[in-house]
Amino acid sequence: MTTRRTFLMSAAGAAAGAGVITILPFDAHAAAHGGNTFPTDGGEVVVHPVEHASVVLETPAGVIYVDTVGDPAMYADMPAPDMVLITHEHGDHYNAETLAAISGEAPILTNPAVFDMLPEDLKARASSIANGESTEMMGVGIEAIPAYNTTEERMNFHPEGRDNGYVLSVDGMTIYISGDTEGTPEMRALSGIDLAFVCMNLPYTMGAEQAASAVAEFAPTYVYPYHYRGQDGGTQDPEAFAQMVADAGAETEVKMHDWYNGALS
């Protein structure tokens, strides 16, 4: 019996097997979305990288915006949202003004800390989900995965129990969005993930080595390294990450994107 995951693994091709990673660079909106399109049982998921941690997902169930921040003009050519997910309160993941400008009347799902700080007009169409809880919106299953730091000197950035990652289940496809985290036991215990977005930047989250180790362990079919701009030398190299994933023998295809529009080159 062919499952969604085995179908996607087959689509990745022989180059993605036996620990070999196919690295596919593509432009901001990848012509005809060819590099950003993934099949599901009911249609396609199209990934629109925006910047840093912000991403738009077109799915058969609707359009999902994740961690919408920055200039609203960056979203002008995007399809309108049917749902907005916010992982946590930091300014590169949550901005009330941007959220109000681009979310229309879409429902908003956040962690409890962000929910408590939402302006009343946004809170009226928002709900919250805590670590380990599950819900459903638009027919999309959503599980809140704990997102936190495990290295002692970084724990003040993302304390355990506050922030979310998300696993989305869309028409037989599972999508993991890490938010800001290190390679926690909860991340490493994930299974059956078809598409993942995994952060890496120092000092705030983790380095490329730890990110690659975690990805090799939970072995998604595809992974986008994102959120890799750091501070004081903490910017991580996504190509080095990809090589480390390959060296670990993971059957994972690394999908490359310039999340900073040339600003880091």
Side-chain angles (χ1 to χ4, degrees):
M1 178 179 179
T2 300
T3 65
R4 172 58 37 201
R5 184 168 175 80
T6 57
F7 176 80
L8 285 169
M9 285 297 293
S10 175
V20 179
I21 306 303
T22 302
I23 305 172
L24 299 175
F26 50 88
D27 293 328
H29 293 289
H33 312 301
N36 305 341
T37 302
F38 305 87
T40 77
D41 293 336
E44 293 179 331
V45 167
V46 181
V47 174
H48 299 274
V50 180
E51 187 177 69
H52 189 56
S54 302
V55 62
V56 172
L57 304 173
E58 284 188 84
T59 82
V63 178
I64 304 170
Y65 280 28
V66 182
D67 285 347
T68 49
V69 300
D71 187 341
M74 293 192 299
Y75 300 85
D77 295 331
M78 302 290 180
D82 296 298
M83 179 203 313
V84 181
L85 303 178
I86 305 296
T87 61
H88 68 289
E89 65 201 65
H90 289 162
D92 55 341
H93 296 260
Y94 163 68
N95 180 278
E97 290 75 18
T98 303
L99 191 54
I102 67 176
S103 62
E105 296 301 318
I108 301 165
L109 183 67
T110 78
N111 67 324
V114 168
F115 181 82
D116 288 343
M117 64 180 63
L118 285 171
E120 289 304 316
D121 57 336
L122 295 179
K123 187 177 288 188
R125 53 188 168 90
S127 56
S128 69
I129 183 173
N131 287 182
E133 294 182 343
S134 299
T135 190
E136 183 176 299
M137 297 176 69
M138 305 183 331
V140 176
I142 305 170
E143 181 180 359
I145 306 301
Y148 59 96
N149 287 108
T150 57
T151 303
E152 184 175 358
E153 61 269 23
R154 303 176 200 160
M155 289 181 180
N156 60 310
F157 296 124
H158 307 97
E160 187 172 358
R162 187 190 68 187
D163 303 339
N164 288 342
Y166 295 108
V167 170
L168 312 180
S169 298
V170 185
D171 285 332
M173 183 179 192
T174 54
I175 303 170
Y176 170 56
I177 300 158
S178 75
D180 277 10
T181 186
E182 292 190 55
T184 63
E186 293 89 348
M187 178 191 289
R188 292 172 183 273
L190 294 170
S191 62
I193 301 296
D194 297 310
L195 175 62
F197 297 83
V198 174
C199 67
M200 52 180 198
N201 69 335
L202 294 175
Y204 304 111
T205 62
M206 57 182 160
E209 295 86 352
Q210 189 185 158
S213 171
V215 166
E217 190 162 341
F218 77 88
T221 307
Y222 298 98
V223 63
Y224 285 85
Y226 81 145
H227 195 283
Y228 50 82
R229 179 186 57 211
Q231 184 179 27
D232 298 330
T235 296
Q236 301 299 293
D237 182 351
E239 292 192 5
F241 160 84
Q243 187 60 57
M244 286 184 278
V245 171
D247 291 345
E251 294 184 343
T252 296
E253 182 174 317
V254 179
K255 305 288 282 184
M256 304 296 284
H257 176 74
D258 176 9
W259 290 83
Y260 303 96
N261 301 307
L264 297 183
S265 60

